[in-house]
Amino acid sequence: MRLNDFCRQRLADIDAAGRRRRRRVIDGAHTPSMTADGRRCLNFCSNDYLGLAGDPILSHALSEAAGRVGVGSAASQLVTGHNAEHAALEAELAAWVGRERALVFSTGYAANLGVVSALAGKRDHVVADALNHASLIDGARLSGARKHVYAHGNVDAAAHALSSTGPGQRLLVTDSVFSMDGDTAPLADLADLAARHDAWFVVDDAHGLGVFGPGGAGAVAQAGLNSAQVPILLGTLGKAAGAAGAFVAGDDLTIEMLLQTARSLIFSTAMPPAVAAAARQGVAMARAGEARRAHLHALIARFRAGATARGLVLEQSDSPIQPLVLGDERHAVAVSQALLARGYLVGAIRPPTVAPGTSRLRITLTAGHDEAQVDGLLDALGAVIRTGVDRSASA
Ligand SMILES: *Cc1c(COP(=O)(O)O)cnc(C)c1O
């Protein structure tokens, strides 16, 4: 087959399903008030939960470090890519989440791919929540382990899946806060289950870090789970920490093993050291960010109360991720477009990211928003959904 024919066919399939996506071009900072495709709007779809991504203090940390250490790390961590900025970042991350040691990766996707495939092999079992992040799913695929997917958030189903595994090591793998639903996994019950079934518990706290727990140490910290209960803890630095990158934290021995075996780390150029410096600043501000966290949680409560008052039914979520499930994907896209016409940028999430028939608006709140902006979004949502956007127009 000619490459052109293959590409044309694949794109035709995507178009036929109404699932072609395009990127908006953002001019300037990726902040609550921003310019997308040349138009000012309020951004309610970022993961910048503490409002740090556009903070000048982080910019200064980045440029100061770049002036001092340059831009490229020029090699893998295990060759000459590991800068003092990375080492300091790892120590600070370990202290933040209360683990012996942390290991930094360039992205969360790479971290999950590397960690899961380093821990499980062909003879092993990965027991996973049905709504786990794609990077955990792909890590399990890459490992070649047998996959056992249990119903979302269901401890009994997870127990059943664990009992049904044969010989080989078991990994129990879950997101803490689910990225498209905003709800939190029953972490304490799953930790007990993992212990009873001699499974290694892997938790991806990408959306909990900075948002929940003492000092923003995450959903795992909020659940009070230590290194014995959650021996493999993942976090990202591109969400609440406002920078980029990710890490895995655990006991020294576990982390040393991962450093020696995680292929997505070994065969990849280390993150630019200046990015590590910016992440250090973001982590410091997230740890000390009680006022930001309090403001964020007040906005979440305000949004939920306001939605209820307007007859909008939200999913169960106390996180900054507040999905409004609309069902039909064209309807979700039409509502999202109607909101944009009013100046509110809210992502319509549809298959394959979520299951067919559960297309939704994924509304995210950040500490960078203020009350008036949240109220404005609520009014726009109420108006758009009450008047009913014209479904046929967008079909
Ligand atoms: C965003 C995310 C990742 C990927 O992290 P990146 O640094 O963006 O690659 C991994 N896991 C979860 C749960 C996420 O939400």
Side-chain angles (χ1 to χ4, degrees), residues 187-281:
L187 294 171
D189 291 343
L190 291 173
D192 287 346
L193 202 59
R196 276 209 300 286
H197 288 267
D198 193 23
W200 301 335
F201 193 21
V202 179
V203 179
D204 180 347
D205 211 358
H207 296 282
L209 204 68
V211 172
F212 293 114
V220 170
Q222 171 147 302
L225 300 172
N226 62 26
S227 189
Q229 293 158 305
V230 177
I232 298 116
L233 172 60
L234 291 136
T236 67
L237 301 168
K239 289 172 178 144
F247 67 96
V248 58
D251 289 350
D252 180 53
L253 191 62
T254 308
I255 298 304
E256 180 62 21
M257 188 281 296
L258 291 171
L259 172 62
Q260 301 302 327
T261 59
R263 292 170 62 86
S264 63
L265 179 154
I266 297 169
F267 296 103
S268 187
T269 302
M271 155 200 290
V275 173
R280 291 180 65 194
Q281 186 62 53

Side-chain angles (χ1 to χ4, degrees), residues 47 106-110 112 133 135-136 175 177 179 204-207 236-239 244-246:
N47 302 315
S106 293
T107 70
Y109 188 90
N112 284 346
H133 191 265
S135 56
L136 290 171
D175 285 22
V177 176
S179 51
D204 180 347
D205 211 358
H207 296 282
T236 67
L237 301 168
K239 289 172 178 144

Side-chain angles (χ1 to χ4, degrees), residues 73-82 265-270:
S73 67
S76 160
Q77 296 189 31
L78 290 165
V79 183
T80 55
H82 187 58
L265 179 154
I266 297 169
F267 296 103
S268 187
T269 302

